[in-house]
Amino acid sequence: MTEKELLILIKRGASEIDLGEGTLTLSDTVTVKRSLSIRGHGPRTTIVGPRGKDAFRVTGTLRIEGVTFRSSGRGALIWVSGQATVVHCALVGAQRRLGLEGALQHIEAQIQRGLAGQEIETDEPDEIPTVGVRAVKKARLRIEATTVMHHATAGVAAEGNAAIEIEGSTFSGNEIGVVHGSSARSTIVRSAFRDNAMTGVEVKGGHVDIEHCEATANAGSGFLVTEKGTMRAVSCVAKENKYTGIGVSSGTAHVETCECTGHEGSGIGVFGGKATLVGNLCSSNNHGIELRDGLTRVEQNRTEGNQSAGIW
């Protein structure tokens, strides 16, 4: 399908569009004002390559399934102020953010280039401020079984009063996996946040329920509450993030039956705000649980094999 054919179908009010196989290049933003379902033939087969600021701007209702979006521009691959559902897709940004493991691989690659007599890449490429999905105003967004990667700002950004639901998805190589600045209540379940350059999930506003999620090898914290955010994390795993597995610098957090292992800082760190910690396991960190500031209730937690202190 060509861009012209897609725009004609949308203008005629089509409710369902099959993109077919191959690559569709968009020279400008596609606006969805009504109800529309777009289907590809799988992320490896159907690729949309936008060149404009945003690929899709959704003020109506959009469901999109089985498509890879590969950005070469700025802005969001999907900008939503209405309703959007993204299922079994890949949202790939234009700027690969290396994260902790990626940075080590990059350094090793430059060493090998030097040994081979090739020119070493000393200058970092310009960052392109891309977002996988930006949900604004009173948007309602659901992301399911989707990979979101290589965005220089965030994989998903929620603002205004936007509510998001994320299930069974993976966020890697972004600056931040998900940043929630919205005042709404959102949920993230059974999802993974790996090798992001800063944080897996940052909750800056509203309330986010995070259940059965994993944050591994992020260069900052796995899960982090800042500003006026409220987070409830239950049965999550944080492993080998650079600073803390679960951090609270302000706002409010309830952390229950989570496992935090292998951090250079703390398994769980409370540096401000209010926190309730119940039934968590913190092992093989520098500090198991670090209580530096704020109001904290600690019940039935276990700390094992931490280098400095179990609770500090």
Side-chain angles (χ1 to χ4, degrees), residues 245-265:
I246 301 174
V248 184
S249 65
S250 60
T252 304
H254 179 97
V255 183
E256 184 173 348
T257 60
C258 292
E259 180 181 342
C260 301
T261 304
H263 301 92
E264 291 186 20

Side-chain angles (χ1 to χ4, degrees), residues 7 21 54 64 143 191 200 247 252 292:
L7 294 175
E21 299 182 356
D54 302 320
I64 190 157
I143 296 177
S191 295
T252 304
R292 187 173 297 183

